[in-house]
Amino acid sequence: MSGQAIRRPEWRPGSVSNNGIRLATYELGDPSKPTVLLVHGWPDSHHLWTHVAPQLAQDHHVVAYDCRGFGDSDHPDGDDAYRLSELADDLFAVVDAISPERPVHVVAHDWGSVTGWEAVARPDATARIASFVSISGPNLDQLGAWARDNLSRPTPRRLALSLAQGGSSAYTAFFQLPVLPKLFFRIAGSERLWREFLHRVEGTPRENATFQPNLRTDMISGLRLYRANIRAKLGNPNPRPTSVPVLEVINERDIALRPAIFDDTHLYAKRLWRRRTPTGHWLPLTRPDYVAALAREFVAEQSANATLEHPSKFARTRVVGPPNRLTGRLAVITGAGSGIGRETAYALAERSCELILADLDLEAAEETARETKRFGAQATAYQLDVSDTAEFAAFAARVREAHGVPDIVVNNAGIGLAGGVLAATDEQVDRLLDVNLRGVVTGSREFGRQMVERGVGGHIVNIASAAAFTPSRSLGLYSASKAGVLLFSESLRAELAEHRIGVSAICPGLVDTNIVSSTPIAGLDADAEQSQRDRLDRFYQRRGFTPDRVASEIVAAIERNKAVVPVTVEAKVGYRIYRFAPWLSRIGARQKVTG
């Protein structure tokens, strides 16, 4: 959105009344289309949706309203008028007025989302609300129950999580004071200061910040939300279940809400989906395209068009148990038909990722896909020759169209080549570099561009090798290809850091996979080559380091955003020797392993 002029929506204004409180409403789009209701939080008004609403209005009936106490709606006196029960009544009054015959899809942010949770927990909610997208807004009853559970069964981790959330929520205590908050916002509640705050904290372009005419008034009036609800809900929580389909959007860089507070949502939402990204609190301002796409896809997920035969792009994010950091992520793995690629698929399937499995051997990829079903994962197999740049680019485009932009990409496909550098043929050298290096570069570039354009981060894993920093006269060309992967990954990591896209280089050592049994050895006749391969294969088998252990390191690298991961003991030792005593590596390189 940076650098683009704001095009304000041509809203059709109206109003709805609830028990004498007038609520200003704003409509876009064709009323015959499915209705999406947008609900804002503090200190915003309907202007929060300036960049989101026009995109949704292309194929939806879009309605936003100023919540009571904000914008052009009435500002009733007293704290009691701002209890969540009253706000939920307002939401249903708007729903009944704008779509009396069909339930609506609610997309809400901050206190709008808190209100949405109150509404969907009512017994008759499913008849009036078709789905609920919750952005940066917890269910206060669930939050209170979560806090009580942590304090009643304290562990170091639980206490740390509670303290972290307490620190992030410290402002809510200030907001409940009788005089100081009002004085503070009378001084600091200007449009210019608020734009600067959002720019520095959220990265919102100053020129694209929405204009809110009564911002200072809304800031002060909205303080009643905190006084009317925080102590009452957290002190006496009453979490209730909901059958309304819920999409929970969790922002890892949210200044007010820590991701851990949403861990128990699955206990109350019977039909729960989630998306978790390294983004901040005001997602409708910073990534409006992403919010619009999420809402559009989720509405489609709940429609009759989303079938088992043709599932929507949202099928992967269904939460059926306690979530983890990778729940709902879309992962692409090349070389997924065997070895490290297959075990990585299993490891990510266990963490509730959707899988796109590519391999030159389609049958092997399909077998991996079938096996991942035992973890309840959704997996799709594709045939792919990573050395063919045009084919790889077409594959990346196909993935985006059919499944969406991946959150995780594991460039694992690789081949081996042993023997002397001088003995290798040009064809062997070209094939090695095309698969091991160019394939990794192409996968990183194609999917990296998609991640940057989407704007909500991601992670790229490139499989290098301990050979990248362990020179050997018998693996010179293979080492060169993997050293290229390592340095390419380190450089790409620096380039993509500003986009919150992590890049990890994984450097296994002696791992028992089928790459050894299929590695050509330059300079030998067929019989001698097979004999040497058999000898190396037996050695790797005796070493006994299995690919599932590498897969565990890959998952850890994704979760912790590690840069370089030597995996086996020999890889870790070799990495440090090459860094601190490279002369030892050079002596070891003279030992003839094969060829």
Side-chain angles (χ1 to χ4, degrees):
M1 296 294 295
S2 181
Q4 300 178 12
I6 296 177
R7 297 186 61 182
R8 304 195 185 284
E10 296 181 0
W11 296 105
R12 300 190 296 273
S15 65
V16 171
S17 179
N18 177 41
N19 292 330
I21 302 297
R22 177 186 173 276
L23 304 168
T25 61
Y26 306 86
E27 292 188 61
L28 288 176
D30 184 351
S32 68
K33 299 292 180 61
T35 298
V36 177
L37 178 63
L38 305 175
V39 191
H40 69 83
W42 183 94
D44 306 300
S45 67
H46 76 281
H47 292 291
L48 174 75
W49 307 105
T50 292
H51 304 298
V52 176
Q55 298 185 58
L56 289 175
Q58 295 173 13
D59 46 12
H60 294 83
H61 174 221
V62 178
V63 180
Y65 70 98
D66 289 338
C67 298
R68 61 171 67 196
F70 296 90
D72 291 332
S73 292
D74 287 347
H75 292 55
D77 294 328
D79 294 345
D80 287 347
Y82 293 83
R83 294 190 184 279
L84 283 176
S85 57
E86 299 292 330
L87 300 179
D89 287 344
D90 288 348
L91 188 152
F92 281 119
V94 174
V95 169
D96 291 342
I98 63 173
S99 186
E101 297 181 356
R102 293 184 301 176
V104 306
H105 302 271
V106 176
V107 180
H109 175 260
D110 191 74
W111 273 97
S113 180
V114 176
T115 300
W117 278 112
E118 182 74 14
V120 299
R122 292 188 176 178
D124 60 344
T126 54
R128 302 155 84 187
I129 299 177
S131 70
F132 173 39
V133 179
S134 169
I135 306 172
S136 291
N139 181 308
L140 290 186
D141 290 298
Q142 295 176 21
L143 178 59
W146 175 85
R148 281 192 170 191
D149 187 51
N150 279 0
L151 295 175
S152 64
R153 297 184 297 162
T155 65
R157 180 179 181 276
R158 286 170 175 266
L159 290 175
L161 292 174
S162 298
L163 288 173
Q165 181 54 51
S168 297
S169 302
Y171 71 95
T172 63
F174 172 72
F175 282 4
Q176 295 183 69
L177 297 177
V179 178
L180 289 179
K182 293 182 180 180
L183 293 177
F184 176 81
F185 287 115
R186 288 187 202 280
I187 298 171
S190 71
E191 180 79 13
R192 181 181 63 82
L193 288 176
W194 185 244
R195 288 192 185 196
E196 187 64 26
F197 170 79
L198 291 178
H199 173 71
R200 293 184 178 275
V201 173
E202 296 286 315
T204 306
R206 295 183 182 91
E207 65 272 21
N208 287 331
T210 57
F211 174 68
Q212 192 167 331
N214 304 311
L215 179 64
R216 182 180 281 106
T217 301
D218 291 346
M219 284 180 164
I220 295 172
S221 175
L223 293 173
R224 297 185 178 103
L225 293 172
Y226 295 87
R227 293 197 295 267
N229 297 292
I230 294 293
R231 283 177 292 179
K233 286 289 188 180
L234 299 187
N236 187 29
N238 179 31
R240 291 147 290 162
T242 179
S243 296
V244 173
V246 177
L247 168 63
E248 198 169 49
V249 181
I250 299 173
N251 300 301
E252 294 176 344
R253 295 175 51 243
D254 197 313
I255 62 171
L257 304 168
R258 298 300 179 102
I261 69 173
F262 300 102
D263 284 353
D264 291 344
T265 309
H266 68 282
L267 300 176
Y268 309 101
K270 297 178 181 179
R271 302 172 64 192
L272 175 66
W273 289 256
R274 67 165 46 197
R275 286 287 178 87
R276 175 170 170 159
T277 53
T279 45
H281 185 79
W282 272 275
L283 201 62
L285 294 180
T286 57
R287 297 287 178 241
D289 296 350
Y290 180 65
V291 171
L294 283 181
R296 179 175 287 109
E297 291 175 11
F298 195 60
V299 170
E301 173 72 24
Q302 308 312 319
S303 73
N305 295 327
T307 65
L308 292 175
E309 292 78 15
H310 301 286
S312 80
K313 296 176 183 178
F314 244 96
R316 66 181 180 270
T317 56
R318 182 75 181 268
V319 179
V320 295
N324 60 76
R325 295 188 64 180
L326 302 183
T327 294
R329 303 292 175 94
L330 175 63
V332 174
I333 306 172
T334 66
S338 63
I340 293 172
R342 174 171 286 183
E343 292 297 336
T344 301
Y346 296 162
L348 291 176
E350 283 189 288
R351 286 156 179 80
S352 302
C353 292
E354 180 190 358
L355 304 173
I356 306 300
L357 307 175
D359 201 283
L360 186 61
D361 184 345
L362 179 57
E363 290 186 2
E366 290 174 336
E367 183 180 348
T368 302
R370 286 192 297 270
E371 286 295 311
T372 60
K373 300 297 174 62
R374 71 177 189 266
F375 302 108
Q378 180 181 342
T380 308
Y382 290 91
Q383 186 173 41
L384 175 66
D385 181 355
V386 299
S387 69
D388 187 329
T389 302
E391 182 181 337
F392 208 148
F395 166 73
R398 185 178 179 186
V399 168
R400 179 173 190 165
E401 177 64 24
H403 307 274
V405 176
D407 305 291
I408 300 165
V409 173
V410 182
N411 290 305
N412 165 72
I415 60 175
L417 177 60
V421 170
L422 305 183
T425 66
D426 289 343
E427 291 77 10
Q428 287 175 325
V429 174
D430 290 343
R431 180 64 178 166
L432 178 78
L433 296 179
D434 284 346
V435 172
N436 286 9
L437 183 55
R438 187 56 189 262
V440 169
V441 171
T442 303
S444 298
R445 279 159 50 89
E446 293 296 332
F447 289 116
R449 287 172 181 144
Q450 293 183 15
M451 292 177 181
V452 169
E453 182 182 347
R454 181 180 61 173
V456 294
H459 203 97
I460 297 172
V461 176
N462 295 328
I463 306 301
S465 169
F469 44 74
T470 309
S472 169
R473 62 178 290 178
S474 300
L475 294 170
L477 292 168
Y478 180 77
S479 294
S481 69
K482 293 301 187 178
V485 170
L486 176 58
L487 267 295
F488 168 74
S489 300
E490 293 253 50
S491 302
L492 185 65
R493 180 181 176 88
E495 179 180 346
L496 298 182
E498 63 186 85
H499 301 288
R500 304 278 173 183
I501 299 171
V503 180
S504 299
I506 309 299
C507 302
L510 303 176
V511 180
D512 183 17
T513 69
N514 62 2
I515 191 173
V516 178
S517 60
S518 60
T519 293
I521 303 175
L524 297 181
D525 59 40
D527 291 340
E529 183 182 39
Q530 188 59 52
S531 176
Q532 295 246 16
R533 271 203 299 260
D534 291 343
R535 180 177 62 84
L536 287 174
D537 207 16
R538 289 193 296 271
F539 175 74
Y540 274 67
Q541 290 174 4
R542 288 196 301 272
R543 171 68 177 85
F545 199 98
T546 51
D548 60 301
R549 297 167 70 180
V550 182
S552 296
E553 294 287 347
I554 290 172
V555 171
I558 296 168
E559 292 179 335
R560 302 171 193 169
N561 192 20
K562 294 182 178 180
V564 179
V565 183
V567 178
T568 61
V569 172
E570 62 272 13
K572 294 174 182 178
V573 171
Y575 186 56
R576 285 156 180 79
I577 288 176
Y578 192 71
R579 292 179 64 190
F580 301 113
W583 57 274
L584 283 175
S585 294
R586 298 185 190 113
I587 292 174
R590 299 173 187 173
Q591 303 303 310
K592 191 173 184 180
V593 177
T594 188

